[in-house]
């Protein structure tokens, strides 16, 4: 595992490049040489026209997929070199909330299962403990847990689905 550096930025993205392979050895250059530094407590918004690489850059920061080139440091820890368990541990510290909340929620799952999934993947708590944590998080984002837990995403408005996505992102 890479040792943390003394970078003052909480999130440092340096010279991030994302390329996708095409047939015949060609490549799509989705992101080229993107850099950003986010200090603790700051928010970064990526704005641009459709197809300019915003989602590709965000996914590369998450290491989904790994960037073709560049560095991503979270609180001084280089993410691009992490593998397996070390990457899984680091991913507990950051989550992605997708622009289309309804499409990002599995329609076959209950809200309880959707929000509890990160806890289950991380092996945190018993089923009862996870359920209690989900209920508390749903309340924190302004949803009535008793009314929401056993329902499915199509039963909620877009704004409520966004809050469910936020709850899922914050549960860890």
């Amino acid at each position: 595992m890479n040792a943390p550096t003394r970078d003052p930025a909480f999130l440092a993205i340096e010279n991030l490049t994302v390329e996708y392979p095409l047939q015949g050895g060609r490549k799509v250059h989705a992101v080229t040489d993107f850099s950003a530094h986010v200090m603790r407590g700051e928010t970064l918004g990526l704005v641009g026209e459709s197809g300019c690489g915003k989602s590709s850059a965000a996914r590369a920061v998450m290491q989904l997929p790994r960037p073709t080139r560049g560095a991503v440091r979270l609180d001084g820890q280089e993410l691009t070199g992490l593998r397996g368990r070390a990457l899984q541990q680091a991913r507990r510290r950051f989550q992605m909330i997708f622009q289309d909340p309804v499409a990002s929620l599995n329609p076959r799952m209950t809200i309880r299962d959707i929000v509890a999934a990160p806890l289950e993947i991380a092996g945190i708590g018993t089923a009862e403990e996870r359920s209690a944590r989900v209920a508390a998080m749903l309340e924190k984002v302004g949803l009535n847990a008793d009314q929401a837990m056993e329902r499915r995403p199509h039963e909620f408005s877009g704004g409520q689905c966004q809050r469910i996505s936020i709850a899922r992102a914050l549960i860890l």
Side-chain angles (χ1 to χ4, degrees):
M1 190 153 103
N2 299 356
T5 64
R6 300 240 183 253
D7 192 323
F10 180 68
L11 175 64
I13 306 163
E14 296 177 352
N15 307 107
L16 189 77
T17 297
V18 179
E19 299 171 345
Y20 298 108
L22 295 174
Q23 290 180 337
R26 297 184 329 232
K27 298 175 187 173
V28 170
H29 300 277
V31 179
T32 303
D33 207 26
F34 170 66
S35 296
H37 291 84
V38 183
M39 305 307 283
R40 193 173 297 278
E42 287 184 332
T43 301
L44 171 68
L46 296 179
V47 179
E49 63 188 54
S50 179
C52 74
K54 300 178 301 290
S55 294
S56 291
R59 289 177 186 274
V61 167
M62 300 284 297
Q63 307 299 294
L64 295 169
R66 293 182 187 283
T68 307
R69 284 183 294 285
V72 178
R73 287 188 304 281
L74 180 68
D75 206 14
Q77 181 180 34
E78 175 60 51
L79 300 179
T80 56
L82 297 180
R83 302 281 187 268
R85 191 112 173 103
L87 181 57
Q88 185 182 25
Q89 290 291 102
R91 280 188 178 141
R92 290 183 184 187
R93 301 188 61 211
F94 59 103
Q95 299 290 319
M96 188 180 294
I97 300 172
F98 294 93
Q99 183 174 347
D100 183 351
V102 177
S104 72
L105 302 175
N106 186 333
R108 295 185 182 131
M109 294 175 70
T110 65
I111 300 310
R112 174 195 320 266
D113 292 339
I114 289 169
V115 178
L119 296 172
E120 190 171 342
I121 290 167
I124 296 174
T126 65
E128 295 79 24
E129 291 166 341
R130 288 192 296 267
S131 188
R133 283 180 69 166
V134 168
M137 186 57 68
L138 289 173
E139 296 289 340
K140 284 182 182 177
V141 298
L143 294 171
N144 181 308
D146 291 334
Q147 294 176 0
M149 298 267 279
E150 299 308 319
R151 293 169 61 194
R152 301 196 190 279
H154 73 274
E155 299 178 69
F156 293 89
S157 70
Q160 289 171 318
C161 286
Q162 190 70 34
R163 286 187 267 159
I164 292 164
S165 295
I166 292 167
R168 177 180 57 189
L170 295 177
I171 196 77
L172 287 175

